[in-house]
Amino acid sequence: MILYFSLGYILLSSCKSKNTFSHHADSYYAHEYMAVSAREEASKTGAAILEKGGNAFDAAVAMHFVLAVTYPQAGNIGGGGFMVAQPASEEPVALDFREQAPAKAHEKVYLDEAGNVIPGMSILGHKASGVPGSVMGMFEIHRRYGTMPWSDLIQPAIHFALHGFVLTEKDVTELQEVIEELDSINGPNIFTYKKWKAGDTLKQPELAETLKRIALFGPDDFYRGETARLIIEEMKKHDNWIDSIDLTNYKAVWRKPLKGNFYGYEIITMPPPSSGGIALLQILFMLEQWKIHTLPFQSLRYIVTVAEAEKLAYADRSKYLGDPDFIRVPTDSLLSKNYLNQRIQDYGTPTKVTPASSIQPGKIFGFESEETTHFSVVDNKGNAVSITTTINSAYGSRVIVKSAGFIMNNEMDDFAVKPGVKNQFGLIGGKANAINPGKRMVSSMTPTIVKENGKIKMIVGSPGGATIITTVLQQLLNVLIFKQGMQQSCNHPRFHHQWIPDFLYLEESWKEKQNLLDSLGIAGYTIKIRPPIGRVSAILRTHDNRWEAGADRRGDNAAAGR
Ligand code: DON
């Protein structure tokens, strides 16, 4: 225990640290390296690892585990995610550590005898969970690119689990929303045994023990050892939903990242089973054809143009996206210039709004993917890492694995539980995203890296369910086309359209522009004002070769670096 305490402590509290830190500053810059995430503890940990000589991959692994402790609403070991990375002297890579459906899952598992969806079953409780991928994902990143000892990278997380972290206002508000469900599913538990207030310190001793085992035995513990045993025990209460074979069979998969060009910038992003990369590249292509750079920023025509492109991409998502290990996802066709030019031609020009009912997924010829968290890291060795990870809803399925202290995901809801029936984000899907044992559910997570003349320009990503893609899109537009700084870009009000439901979603602050809202209504949109969209953690290379953070004020996001 002393060892765990001291290593974690030394990493974090070195008084000689040259790192600086920002939390809600106007703009924050560093010269050498930077880490940005949803929590100050994780960003500072990332910077401390980089200061010790670790690379961006080492930092990312340590940050992931710290988020699993200090951001339990989304950070996780019971979930999954994706990484897009630019290693210093290699082609870009993508790692898929998305959850998999357990062997007991099947197409009708969330339907009653009459074939209707059983409300909440894919969202709450044990059967909402897929087989977690995060521990395998982190181990795989470390195996291929890590330079520091694996167990050292987990010490900061153990430190925060043992000694606690201070809850923020937002933490307490988000916890309040799930307290009854956490209680009814788990009985008395670490998150609900007292009424937590902002400023209180939350310690998680059981999670600390789990992390110590992971530090010592890596994925062997989580998928085959003591933690596996605890997951299996937990699942025994519910028809052995996830069993030992599901856990031993889990694999993280290296995939080829998608690449596209947007006004001369190279966009590197996540392939299926995420839908994020395909949708993002489709929208960017259409916007370049529609000369988005000629339209005034956030004007009526600008919003219409972006929203119409979004609708076309989300329509394709609903039909074609699924797990590429199970179905043939027509990635090349969906991204081909011929197909997209045809789609644009069929659509016409976005001078007016086309109702969602008049838009259908395109026809391709021949076949050739609230709560999540994103973090971005860049080191001074030429590596850049962009990771989005999730347990899906805030506090996932609300199931806390007994004696292991971590929360299981409710990622099964990202499958099309029934063709055409909306999931919790209003997204629909069909055959391509139907449930099958071992299959991965379609995601919207869009970890992305942008390069300019071969050099890293931006590392970006966000949580937000269906809005992830359009949030990432808006950061690219704001920075690459409208030349905003990274923080300035994050601060701008966001909008979102996902084809179905046929609503233009706007954040609260748009209400200040009543004339614009009226014009959007006249143009044909049904407007829905909604809670904040996305929580970006991004890094931008400035023209004078500094790193600028984008730490979204919609969350407690923070940056650290030097
Ligand atoms: O993978 C996905 O697309 C979703 N499970 C992400 C969920 C999410 O971002 C929730 N946050 N607001």
Side-chain angles (χ1 to χ4, degrees), residues 314-322 327 361-363 428-433 499:
Y314 277 77
D316 279 356
R317 178 197 196 279
S318 73
K319 179 164 178 185
Y320 295 113
L321 264 294
I327 61 148
K363 284 201 178 50
I428 59 169
K431 201 79 198 134
N433 192 27
W499 174 53

Side-chain angles (χ1 to χ4, degrees), residues 98 370-372 390 392 411 414 425 443-445 463-465 468:
R98 182 75 161 160
E370 176 142 2
E371 237 1 289
T372 293
T390 188
N392 202 13
E411 224 72 59
D414 275 351
F425 302 113
S443 172
S444 301
M445 292 187 284
I468 293 174

